[in-house]
Amino acid sequence: MCKFKKKSIIIDVDTGIDDSVALAIALASKKIDLKLVTTSAGNVGVEQSTQNTLDVLNYLKHGNVPVAMGEKEPLARNHKPISVHGKDGIGDFSSKFPEHNLKPLAVPAFEAMADVINKSSSPITIVALGPLTNIAKLLLNHKNVVSKIEEVIIMAGSIDEHKQGEMPYPEFNVKVDPEACQAVISSGVKIIVCPMEMGHSAYLDYYDVYKTKKLNYAGAFFEKIFRLYKDHHVKNGIAMHDSCAVAYCIDPKLFLTEDFEAKVEYYNDQKIGILHCEKSDRQNVKVCMKCDIKKFKNLYFSALRKTRIITE
Ligand code: RIB
Ligand code: CA
C-alpha cells in the first residue's frame, strides 16, 4: 500500500551535465511520477539539449518518458550557449551513447505541458532546470493552467546581496531569458526559487565523485561527464544546482526557505537580467536559503544506487 500520493511532475531541462543527474534522482524517487520532460535552449541549443535528454533517458533505461522540444530562442533576445558542460552539453559523451530511435513529441514543449496539466486529475508540479522560456510560453498562452499547477520550482538566481551599485553575479538560467523569468514570477503561480548558492554548497567533493565512480555503471557514467563540468564557483567538486531543485521537490524539508518579493532587474546597456529578491510585504516567492548537505548527499547516493544503465 503506497503511504503517500506520488507527485505528478514535469521537468524542464537544458541537458546539461547537472540536469542529467537531476533527471536520474527524479526517476529513482518513489515520490515522483514524471509525466513529461521538456527541453530548453540553455547550456546548448534546444536541438542538442533535446538529443542529450533522449540519450540520457534511454541510457538510464527510461526511454518511455515523453520528451517535448522547447523554444529555439528566448522570449526577447538571442540564445547564447555556454561551454561549461562541454561542446555537446553532456561532457562530450554524446558520441558514446548507444543508438536508439527515440524522438521528441510532435508538439512544442509548452503545448505538451498544457496537455499534461489539463488532463491530470491532480495539480502538476513543474521543476525548471534551465532558462524559463517554455514555462513562460505555457503561462502566457494557457492562462487557465495557473490554477492546475501545484508550484513551479526554479533553479534560478542568487541570494548573495550585492554591494550597492555593483552588478550581482548573473545566474545563467535567468541571464539567458530574463523576460521569461519575469513572466513566470508575475504569473500568479506558486514559485520556489532554488538559487545557485544551494548548488554551490550541496556540491559533490572529490571523495563523493570517487564513490560515485565506484558505486555502479551509472556512477561511472556520471563521473566521466563530471570531468568536463566547469562551474568555476566550486573549485573542489561538482556543483549540484539542478539536483537541489529536484531534491526540494522530493523532500522540501531538506531546505530552509524564506519569503521574498522577487523581480528581474536589468543592468548596463546589454540589459543583463538578474533575479533580485528582497524582503517586503509583497512577497511572491519562497527562496531556498540553506540545504541539509548530509541529507542531500544521502538522497543523491540512494538514488544513484537504484540507477541502471541500458548496456548493463
Ligand atoms: O546556473 C546553473 C544553471 O545553469 C544550471 O541549471 C546549469 O545546468 C545551467 O543550466
Ligand atoms: Ca540546467
Side-chain angles (χ1 to χ4, degrees), residues 14 16 18-19 43 82 85 129-130 155 171-173 196 229 241-242:
D14 61 333
D18 62 327
D19 302 69
N43 294 316
I82 44 166
H85 298 254
L129 307 179
M155 190 279 125
E171 186 280 318
F172 179 75
N173 288 340
M196 64 181 198
Y229 186 28
H241 295 295
D242 293 340

Side-chain angles (χ1 to χ4, degrees), residues 18-292:
D18 62 327
D19 302 69
S20 56
V21 181
L23 282 173
I25 292 173
L27 290 162
S29 173
K30 290 197 183 66
K31 293 187 181 178
I32 283 185
D33 178 5
L34 180 54
K35 297 288 189 189
L36 172 69
V37 177
T38 53
T39 60
S40 57
N43 294 316
V44 285
V46 74
E47 289 88 352
Q48 185 67 53
S49 71
T50 304
Q51 187 57 52
N52 292 346
T53 303
L54 293 168
D55 288 341
V56 167
L57 287 172
N58 177 63
Y59 199 51
L60 299 183
K61 301 180 74 169
H62 287 279
N64 59 314
V65 176
V67 174
M69 187 188 292
E71 303 301 306
K72 280 189 174 33
E73 295 292 335
L75 288 191
R77 52 185 71 206
N78 297 325
H79 173 238
K80 293 193 188 78
I82 44 166
S83 60
V84 164
H85 298 254
K87 281 194 293 302
D88 62 2
I90 192 75
D92 293 348
F93 194 89
S94 43
S95 59
K96 303 185 183 73
F97 285 116
E99 293 291 311
H100 59 76
N101 299 317
L102 299 177
K103 296 270 178 278
L105 298 176
V107 293
F110 78 95
E111 294 295 8
M113 287 173 164
D115 195 39
V116 165
I117 293 166
N118 286 323
K119 284 184 179 154
S120 174
S121 58
S122 56
I124 294 280
T125 295
I126 298 177
V127 183
L129 307 179
L132 292 164
T133 315
N134 297 325
I135 290 101
K137 287 278 284 190
L138 166 73
L139 295 167
L140 292 169
N141 290 280
H142 294 275
K143 294 194 186 323
N144 70 303
V145 301
V146 169
S147 60
K148 301 174 185 178
I149 293 173
E150 180 72 32
E151 60 189 1
V152 181
I153 304 165
I154 62 177
M155 190 279 125
S158 150
I159 35 177
D160 269 349
E161 270 317 301
H162 50 289
K163 296 181 202 61
Q164 223 35 40
E166 270 185 35
M167 183 179 90
Y169 181 82
E171 186 280 318
F172 179 75
N173 288 340
V174 174
K175 184 181 175 189
V176 168
D177 198 344
E179 290 79 11
C181 183
Q182 184 57 53
V184 172
I185 53 179
S186 45
S187 66
V189 289
K190 183 181 171 194
I191 305 269
I192 309 292
V193 176
C194 192
M196 64 181 198
E197 284 78 10
M198 296 305 106
H200 291 158
S201 58
Y203 68 89
L204 300 182
D205 64 28
Y206 287 123
Y207 181 54
D208 296 323
V209 172
Y210 172 77
K211 282 196 304 188
T212 295
K213 177 179 177 180
K214 293 294 178 195
L215 188 70
N216 56 14
Y217 288 103
F221 158 64
F222 285 124
E223 188 273 337
K224 271 201 192 80
I225 63 175
F226 286 166
R227 298 178 197 173
L228 268 92
Y229 186 28
K230 298 182 185 53
D231 178 323
H232 63 277
H233 290 92
V234 177
K235 302 277 180 265
N236 53 349
I238 305 293
M240 299 298 273
H241 295 295
D242 293 340
S243 297
C244 283
V246 165
Y248 180 91
C249 181
I250 293 170
D251 185 359
K253 294 191 300 307
L254 292 185
F255 297 86
L256 289 179
T257 61
E258 283 181 31
D259 294 327
F260 285 89
E261 180 188 8
K263 59 180 180 296
V264 173
E265 292 181 341
Y266 295 93
Y267 288 77
N268 71 35
D269 54 351
Q270 296 169 60
K271 280 176 60 58
I272 293 178
I274 309 262
L275 181 62
H276 181 63
C277 301
E278 63 184 29
K279 286 296 180 187
S280 111
D281 52 7
R282 292 183 308 280
Q283 62 215 24
N284 58 353
V285 297
K286 259 187 198 314
V287 179
C288 296
M289 302 299 283
K290 195 167 170 22
C291 174
D292 184 323

